[in-house]
Amino acid sequence: LYDPIDETVLPRPFSFPSSCHRGIFSFHTSSTHPTPSHLQEKSDKMMRLRLFSKCARSVSTKRFKNEILPAAARLKHVDSSSSVSSMGSYSEGEYGSTEFRLYATKEGQTVGWWHSIPFVTASNGLNFVCEIPKGTTAKMEVNTKEAGNPIAQDVKKGAPRHYGIKAAFNYGCIPQTYENPEEVDPNVDIRALGDGDPLDAVELSDEPIEMGTLGEVIPVGVLCLIDEGEVDWKLFVLRADHPLVEKKRREKEVSRGGHRTSSTSPSTFNAPYLTLDDVEEHFPGKMSAIREWFRTYKTFEGKDENKFGLNEEIKDGEFAWKVIFQCHHEWRDLVGGNNPRNLPIPDDLLLL
């Protein structure tokens, strides 16, 4: 993957075989990418520091020494034999109540939906956590303020919150991303801060996906929602086993799983399988209808319509990758110590 924030090509120190939790997705299987020998020879400390390269450049030496370095030192890295396939979940409380929680686990340990699942897959797709299945109204979300980051129902005036209309899509988030509420978003044409949550993802297929499903998706585009003055990106994705993805994968087959070409142009490294035109042809009018859903859904609660940045345009896959990596870098900064809101970060953070 090409990181447009650092302007570097990411190595593959680990591989994440295509797999899923709860068996809803059946994934395209690609070859694994072994750890490059020169990375295997690096010490664990150096590998940890690589993850925080952005923090090292963007913060003071004192803060890097006192905050970033200790956070990096407590990370554990899981080798390439590990994958998300061994993940599970358990729930507490009654579904539909304010006490309901759905936790993620790996090998019997609670690991959290937000921090411990890699944001990218071995085939350069994205991991997607489904919070709200299509056709439902319960406003479920990864709770960033609780230890373990379970999926829970949002609460309004002491009661579980519901949308006034059914979700017209599968709604979820991308792990290891963060829309920083302390920083002006550089990708927006107005001065606005992030909403303080992981990057939202809108999955476009027709079939509902069960809450708590973890699976691979392909980014297609991104919409800039302005929610009460905050930037709230909506990443448009399609599940990796969808027939349209398989069709375009075959048509546009290139080396290394379909994302990287032989070109040296950075913009081609993350070339998506799908274009907005591909999706529009297969799902005519769907993306525009989703934009209208986001514009009006709060009016059913007696609020004003939402607004959008970037002239309400659904930006393409290349722009979407910029947003993805920006949010991933903000997450790195968060777990590295830039955490003024004191969100719970695991003391023993696992990077799967």
Side-chain angles (χ1 to χ4, degrees), residues 126 128 174 199-204 217-223 232-237 316-317 319-321 323-324:
L126 295 173
F128 167 77
I174 306 300
L199 177 60
D200 289 335
V202 173
E203 200 281 320
L204 299 169
V217 294
I218 304 301
V220 174
V222 68
L223 175 66
D232 189 6
W233 292 102
K234 305 301 176 185
L235 183 68
F236 285 31
V237 302
D316 65 11
F319 190 94
W321 276 111
V323 172
I324 293 163

Side-chain angles (χ1 to χ4, degrees), residues 23-85:
I24 302 300
F25 293 9
S26 58
F27 290 95
H28 168 76
T29 302
S30 62
S31 60
T32 60
H33 302 274
T35 304
S37 59
H38 72 283
L39 285 180
Q40 288 179 337
E41 295 169 0
K42 286 182 178 287
S43 68
D44 287 343
K45 179 179 179 181
M46 290 303 297
M47 293 183 73
R48 286 193 285 266
L49 293 182
R50 283 188 65 259
L51 290 172
F52 291 88
S53 59
K54 185 236 183 185
C55 296
R57 290 192 303 275
S58 62
V59 301
S60 67
T61 302
K62 181 178 179 181
R63 185 179 152 220
F64 182 73
K65 179 179 179 181
N66 294 338
E67 298 179 27
I68 307 299
L69 212 56
R74 67 173 188 258
L75 298 180
K76 283 187 177 179
H77 291 268
V78 180
D79 64 30
S80 59
S81 64
S82 298
S83 78
V84 297
S85 61

Side-chain angles (χ1 to χ4, degrees), residues 5-18:
I5 308 303
D6 273 348
E7 298 183 351
T8 56
V9 179
L10 299 186
R12 295 174 181 272
F14 313 110
S15 88
F16 309 112
S18 297

Side-chain angles (χ1 to χ4, degrees), residues 204 206 244 276-290:
L204 299 169
D206 293 326
L244 178 60
L276 292 174
D277 289 341
D278 292 333
V279 174
E280 182 61 27
E281 181 180 356
H282 191 86
F283 300 108
K286 188 166 193 174
M287 290 184 291
S288 295
I290 290 173

Side-chain angles (χ1 to χ4, degrees), residues 203-218:
E203 200 281 320
L204 299 169
S205 65
D206 293 326
E207 302 80 15
I209 297 174
E210 188 177 355
M211 180 182 65
T213 296
L214 170 65
E216 183 181 21
V217 294
I218 304 301

Side-chain angles (χ1 to χ4, degrees), residues 46-262:
M46 290 303 297
M47 293 183 73
R48 286 193 285 266
L49 293 182
R50 283 188 65 259
L51 290 172
F52 291 88
S53 59
K54 185 236 183 185
C55 296
R57 290 192 303 275
S58 62
V59 301
S60 67
T61 302
K62 181 178 179 181
R63 185 179 152 220
F64 182 73
K65 179 179 179 181
N66 294 338
E67 298 179 27
I68 307 299
L69 212 56
R74 67 173 188 258
L75 298 180
K76 283 187 177 179
H77 291 268
V78 180
D79 64 30
S80 59
S81 64
S82 298
S83 78
V84 297
S85 61
S86 59
M87 292 191 67
S89 67
Y90 68 94
S91 63
E92 294 181 353
E94 182 180 356
Y95 177 75
S97 71
T98 58
E99 289 78 31
F100 176 81
R101 300 290 186 273
L102 181 65
Y103 292 90
T105 64
K106 182 175 176 63
E107 298 174 352
Q109 179 181 356
T110 300
V111 292
W113 299 107
W114 186 16
H115 298 299
S116 298
I117 298 170
F119 80 112
V120 292
T121 66
S123 54
N124 288 3
L126 295 173
N127 275 316
F128 167 77
V129 176
C130 187
E131 300 163 309
I132 304 172
K134 180 180 179 181
T136 63
T137 62
K139 179 66 170 68
M140 311 300 295
E141 59 186 7
V142 170
N143 191 322
T144 63
K145 298 178 178 64
E146 288 187 17
N149 303 129
I151 295 175
Q153 192 162 355
D154 191 19
V155 176
K156 180 179 179 181
K157 297 181 179 179
R161 181 184 169 193
H162 286 263
Y163 292 124
I165 52 174
K166 293 179 179 179
F169 42 82
N170 294 301
Y171 204 2
C173 68
I174 306 300
Q176 295 186 346
T177 59
Y178 183 54
E179 296 192 54
N180 191 346
E182 309 296 330
E183 298 286 342
V184 174
D185 194 304
N187 296 304
V188 187
D189 54 352
I190 63 173
R191 185 176 176 82
L193 307 176
D195 71 346
D197 288 325
L199 177 60
D200 289 335
V202 173
E203 200 281 320
L204 299 169
S205 65
D206 293 326
E207 302 80 15
I209 297 174
E210 188 177 355
M211 180 182 65
T213 296
L214 170 65
E216 183 181 21
V217 294
I218 304 301
V220 174
V222 68
L223 175 66
C224 180
L225 176 70
I226 305 298
D227 187 356
E228 298 181 2
E230 297 176 332
V231 178
D232 189 6
W233 292 102
K234 305 301 176 185
L235 183 68
F236 285 31
V237 302
L238 188 62
R239 51 197 289 172
D241 69 335
H242 193 278
L244 178 60
V245 174
E246 296 292 346
K247 178 180 178 224
K248 294 301 177 180
R249 195 193 305 271
R250 290 191 298 269
E251 289 178 0
K252 303 176 182 180
E253 185 174 6
V254 290
S255 64
R256 295 186 180 274
H259 279 288
R260 182 180 295 183
T261 71
S262 59

